[in-house]
């Protein structure tokens, strides 16, 4: 439960939440071994983003792509820099949706002060 409380506190401290889709574009210019290396680099980058508190969750849809991510940042510029720094960024379209807390969010309700 501590991670839920941390997420609520992060929002209260000025962090904003974002939903990001990761749609793979044309990566046919990469050799299979290069693509595999980029995906390994992507996993490391995801771990680093999570350690920095930016990446909160990642999901795969049952049909694979797009991957979906729950991110948080103090502002959109910070988020954009993090996304642009991803190893697969040149081959990804990354639509971003800014999220606001819902008044009936059960997490907000559970930890309301």
């Amino acid at each position: 439960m501590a991670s839920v409380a941390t997420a609520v506190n992060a929002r209260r401290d000025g962090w904003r939440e974002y939903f990001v889709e990761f749609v793979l574009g044309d990566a046919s210019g990469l050799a299979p071994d290069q693509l595999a290396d980029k995906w390994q680099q992507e996993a490391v980058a995801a771990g680093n983003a999570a350690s920095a508190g930016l990446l909160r969750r990642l999901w795969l849809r049952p049909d694979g792509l797009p991957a979906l991510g729950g991110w948080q940042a103090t502002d959109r510029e910070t988020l954009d820099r993090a996304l642009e720094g991803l190893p697969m960024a040149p081959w990804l379209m990354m639509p971003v949706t800014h999220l606001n807390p819902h008044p009936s969010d059960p997490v907000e309700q559970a930890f309301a002060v």
Side-chain angles (χ1 to χ4, degrees), residues 46-60:
N48 291 339
S51 293
L54 296 169
L55 177 58
R56 304 293 296 162
R57 297 288 305 270
L58 278 175
W59 300 271
L60 280 176

Side-chain angles (χ1 to χ4, degrees), residues 24 41 60 65:
L24 183 61
Q41 292 173 22
L60 280 176
L65 291 175

Side-chain angles (χ1 to χ4, degrees), residues 63-84:
D63 59 355
L65 291 175
L68 309 170
W71 291 71
Q72 65 179 13
T74 53
D75 55 49
R76 179 63 191 261
E77 290 177 13
T78 301
L79 176 69
D80 287 343
R81 279 193 306 274
L83 296 175
E84 290 165 4

